[in-house]
């Protein structure tokens, strides 16, 4: 489902000839890393200048700054935040111009001060450290703090995290087959238990840390879509397996949403936007059958799914209307 946990590690086979992998991107040593950032990593951008039925967990109060000309914004998270699969990879962390941080930055009055998203990121630091491994959420937060790009003047913080922690690529492999494998339900149960007992406190701690660093910001936690159409994928994933997997995604999203620290925080649910566009549908927004961006949104998914959901749920223009709200 998500970027491989470690660079260069082969993912489990979904079926003969269909490899679940997000590639083997190596993170090279950088010559000009942001001050205090992990060695071998440059945080791109660091240092640069009506509620929906589902998803919104707070009122649209904006940031109460009236006529402020720009919204100062920082982005954190994994490959789904980085935009992996949306187009040409721009750096070692798999960021693309179609990632929702870049799409938000293109909107009026939004200024992306730092994008530290990185494909493969998890909520907790895990070995190996960069450059051999991806930059996890604690390192992302440290890089923002060290570079001085998150503070009381920050207006907007976005985060997508958790898919790599529960190893959803492995769960997909455990659920794949012409018939429902006996391994599917146990793999989903293990992922759900891990999310509830281990991932939840890690995400809550990071959100609390981000709140302390950016006390006036709107903290926006963005979830994951249903990857599969309800009918499944003939010969690869049964309708029952697809239903179980999508229910597991709902469980993960619910755990994530429950970690919001306060009413100045918002959970954005993207399930509605992706409805009818999972793998197996006539108009899938999820890449499938490629060895680089398997099970990541394509450019349409990032624009019509992620960007549309965020602009629907988050007041990006406090005090000045919301001209960008809703699906483009």
């Amino acid at each position: 489902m998500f970027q491989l946990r470690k660079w260069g590690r082969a993912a489990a086979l979904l079926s003969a000839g269909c490899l679940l992998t997000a590639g083997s991107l190596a993170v090279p040593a950088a010559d000009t890393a942001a001050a205090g950032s992990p060695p071998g990593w440059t945080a791109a951008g660091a240092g640069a200048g009506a509620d929906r039925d589902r998803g919104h967990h707070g009122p649209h109060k904006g940031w109460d700054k009236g006529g402020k000309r720009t919204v100062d914004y920082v982005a954190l998270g994994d490959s789904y935040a980085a935009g992996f699969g949306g187009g040409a990879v721009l750096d070692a962390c798999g960021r693309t111009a179609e990632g929702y941080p870049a799409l938000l930055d293109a909107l009026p009055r939004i200024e992306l001060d730092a994008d530290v998203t990185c494909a493969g990121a998890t909520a907790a630091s895990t070995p190996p450290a960069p450059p051999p491994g991806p930059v996890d959420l604690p390192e992302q937060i440290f890089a923002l703090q060290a570079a001085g790009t998150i503070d009381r003047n920050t207006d907007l913080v976005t985060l997508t995290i958790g898919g790599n922690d529960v190893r959803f690529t492995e769960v997909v492999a455990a659920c794949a087959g012409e018939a429902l494998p006996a391994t599917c339900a146990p793999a989903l149960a293990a992922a759900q238990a891990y999310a509830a007992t281990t991932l939840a406190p890690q995400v809550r701690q990071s959100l609390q840390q981000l709140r302390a660093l950016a006390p006036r910001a709107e903290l926006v936690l963005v979830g994951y879509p249903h990857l599969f159409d309800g009918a499944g994928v003939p010969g690869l994933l049964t309708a029952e397996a697809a239903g179980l997997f999508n229910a597991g995604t709902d469980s993960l999203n619910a755990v994530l949403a429950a970690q919001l620290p306060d009413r100045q925080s918002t959970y954005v649910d993207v399930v509605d936007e992706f409805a009818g566009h999972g793998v197996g549908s006539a108009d899938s927004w999820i890449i499938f059958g490629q060895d680089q961006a398997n099970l990541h949104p394509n450019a349409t998914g990032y624009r019509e799914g992620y960007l549309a959901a965020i602009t629907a749920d988050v007041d990006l223009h406090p005090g000045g209307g919301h001209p960008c709200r809703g699906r483009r």
Side-chain angles (χ1 to χ4, degrees), residues 60 79 86 90 103 108 130 140 149 165 184 188 205 209 242 251 278 280 289:
H60 290 153
S79 57
L90 302 177
L103 296 176
Q140 293 178 17
T149 49
D165 299 81
C184 184
L188 283 163
Q205 180 180 6
Q209 185 179 2
S251 178

Side-chain angles (χ1 to χ4, degrees), residues 192-203:
Q192 292 166 8
Y194 185 90
T197 61
T198 304
L199 176 62
Q202 292 169 345
V203 172

Side-chain angles (χ1 to χ4, degrees), residues 32-59:
T32 56
S37 63
W41 177 61
T42 299
D51 296 350
R52 301 162 70 232
D53 291 337
R54 301 180 61 176
H56 191 75
H57 284 210

